[in-house]
């Protein structure tokens, strides 16, 4: 049976470290980092995420600013809101919750955020810095995955890593981070031939496809570390619903050496890394350093 990687416990420690850094910035520099989260529309999953982000921001001692705009908001109105947040000295991090309504061009919105305040790490400037090996702000979910891996392995160099999923939010930035850590990378996706065989080559297997329980134990190399980024809601036997990952935990945990559960694995790391990025952004903007 695989070791269970406790992302929830790791995230709790990371949030405590962020709270200490925030207390230090307040005490020694009179600086309270502020995070602005912009939600357009009424997507129920996004509303839950945004609420959790605000709650944990406040718990870490930071200022949380929430902007809820109607579903009918147009691109110009959202750009105007971002311009105001870019200019606001009390705002150090800006996050626009995705997905956005279809009348809005997400790329244009992401790239209108001041890259120094881009705590999602999605701005082209931050993507370029990461892929050229000089990272500034790094996307939160991939950063959380790397922290869990580096907690387990002192050195990832030479390991074979397979990332299933090629999104800009997870797959591509995580591949850049694993490459920087000297792994040999394969990015696989829905059109990859012999996907099971490709996955079986992985010392580190990351599932970020958004398909419930797609990756089974037969796809896992014995002893591999499996990182499950998926969060899918499925119907359960008792007529209710439950959360599962992109990995079939029951079969994969019999083969893997270590595995992240869902819930309680990568999920809690994402918001903890967002808080960390907000402190980092505040320090960069105000030209300060703090232990993180
Ligand atoms: N929607 C799903 N994941 C994310 C994320 O990491 N950042 C933002 N802004 N929106 C998301």
């Amino acid at each position: 049976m695989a070791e269970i990687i406790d992302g929830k416990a790791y995230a709790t420690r990371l949030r405590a470290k962020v709270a200490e850094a925030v207390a230090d910035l307040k005490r020694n520099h009179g600086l309270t980092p502020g995070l602005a989260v912009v939600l357009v529309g009424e997507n129920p999953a996004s509303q839950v995420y945004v609420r959790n982000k605000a709650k944990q921001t406040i718990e870490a001692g930071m200022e949380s600013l929430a902007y809820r705009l109607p579903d009918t908001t147009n691109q110009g109105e959202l750009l105007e809101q971002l311009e105001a947040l870019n200019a606001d000295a009390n705002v150090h991090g800006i996050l626009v919750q995705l997905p956005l309504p279809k009348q809005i061009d997400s790329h244009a919105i992401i790239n209108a955020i001041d890259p120094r305040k881009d705590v999602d790490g999605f701005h082209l400037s931050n993507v370029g810095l990461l892929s050229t090996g000089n990272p500034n702000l790094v996307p939160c979910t991939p950063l959380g995955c790397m922290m869990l891996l580096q907690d387990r392995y002192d050195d990832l160099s030479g390991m074979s890593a397979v990332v299933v999923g090629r999104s800009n939010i997870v797959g591509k930035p995580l591949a850049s981070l694993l490459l920087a850590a000297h792994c040999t990378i394969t990015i696989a996706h829905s059109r990859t031939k012999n996907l099971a065989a490709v996955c079986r080559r992985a010392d580190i297997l990351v599932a970020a496809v958004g398909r419930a329980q797609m990756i089974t134990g037969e796809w896992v190399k014995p002893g591999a570390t499996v990182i499950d980024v998926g969060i899918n809601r499925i119907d359960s036997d008792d007529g209710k619903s439950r959360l599962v990952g992109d990995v079939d935990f029951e079969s994969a945990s019999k083969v893997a050496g270590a595995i992240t559960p869902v819930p309680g694995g990568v999920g809690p790391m994402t918001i903890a890394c967002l808080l960390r990025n907000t402190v980092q952004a505040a320090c960069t903007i105000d030209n300060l350093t703090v232990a993180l």
Side-chain angles (χ1 to χ4, degrees):
M1 185 71 188
E3 179 194 327
I4 310 295
I5 299 173
D6 191 345
K8 194 173 166 197
Y10 192 107
T12 300
R13 292 195 297 275
L14 179 55
R15 289 203 312 270
K17 240 202 268 183
V18 170
E20 268 174 44
V22 171
D24 180 338
L25 289 173
K26 282 185 185 174
R27 194 172 46 240
N28 296 320
H29 304 283
L31 170 66
T32 302
L35 172 62
V37 175
V38 182
L39 173 61
V40 185
E42 310 279 326
N43 180 319
S46 293
Q47 286 177 334
V48 174
Y49 289 135
V50 165
R51 232 185 351 258
N52 286 337
K53 283 167 186 167
K55 178 170 173 278
Q56 296 189 25
T57 303
I58 291 162
E59 280 169 7
M62 294 191 273
E63 175 127 20
S64 167
L65 302 104
Y67 296 85
R68 291 176 168 251
L69 307 179
D71 206 23
T72 50
T73 302
N74 65 36
Q75 179 135 338
E77 289 163 336
L78 185 51
L79 286 171
E80 241 172 65
Q81 177 70 74
L82 292 176
E83 223 172 278
L85 294 172
N86 282 341
D88 187 338
N90 293 317
V91 171
H92 303 91
I94 301 170
L95 180 146
V96 179
Q97 185 68 29
L98 302 174
L100 287 166
K102 49 186 178 316
Q103 72 273 18
I104 296 177
D105 173 1
S106 305
H107 291 288
I109 294 303
I110 288 166
N111 290 309
I113 297 172
D114 180 339
R116 295 173 311 161
K117 299 189 178 186
D118 169 38
V119 283
D120 260 328
F122 295 163
H123 189 286
L124 283 176
S125 149
N126 286 319
V127 173
L129 287 168
L130 175 61
S131 63
T132 51
N134 180 29
N136 173 32
L137 290 160
V138 171
C140 303
T141 301
L143 181 59
C145 293
M146 285 307 288
M147 286 181 179
L148 294 178
L149 286 169
Q150 279 164 337
D151 188 48
R152 180 168 171 74
Y153 297 104
D154 288 335
D155 185 6
L156 299 174
S157 92
M159 296 182 84
S160 161
V162 174
V163 179
V164 188
R166 53 177 157 175
S167 69
N168 292 333
I169 295 181
V170 183
K172 284 186 233 172
L174 183 54
S176 292
L177 289 167
L178 289 162
L179 190 59
H182 312 295
C183 289
T184 301
I185 310 296
T186 303
I187 304 181
H189 46 80
S190 54
R191 304 214 190 160
T192 299
K193 294 213 166 78
N194 300 322
L195 184 55
V198 170
C199 289
R200 260 195 305 275
R201 292 204 301 259
D203 301 315
I204 294 167
L205 178 59
V206 182
V209 264
R211 284 186 52 189
Q213 299 172 312
M214 185 178 105
I215 292 174
T216 64
E218 284 170 19
W219 296 28
V220 177
K221 178 175 170 175
T225 295
V226 177
I227 304 289
D228 189 353
V229 178
I231 302 177
N232 311 285
R233 191 166 281 285
I234 62 163
D235 294 334
S236 58
D237 299 336
D238 57 7
K240 295 188 186 140
S241 70
R242 66 190 176 104
L243 290 181
V244 296
D246 293 347
V247 175
D248 175 40
F249 184 85
E250 200 189 328
S251 61
S253 61
K254 293 191 175 110
V255 186
I259 186 167
T260 58
V262 176
V266 173
M269 292 298 291
T270 298
I271 298 185
C273 286
L274 173 66
L275 303 179
R276 186 201 166 281
N277 278 356
T278 304
V279 172
Q280 184 188 325
C283 287
T284 305
I285 291 165
D286 283 37
N287 210 7
L288 298 169
T289 49
V290 74
L292 264 178

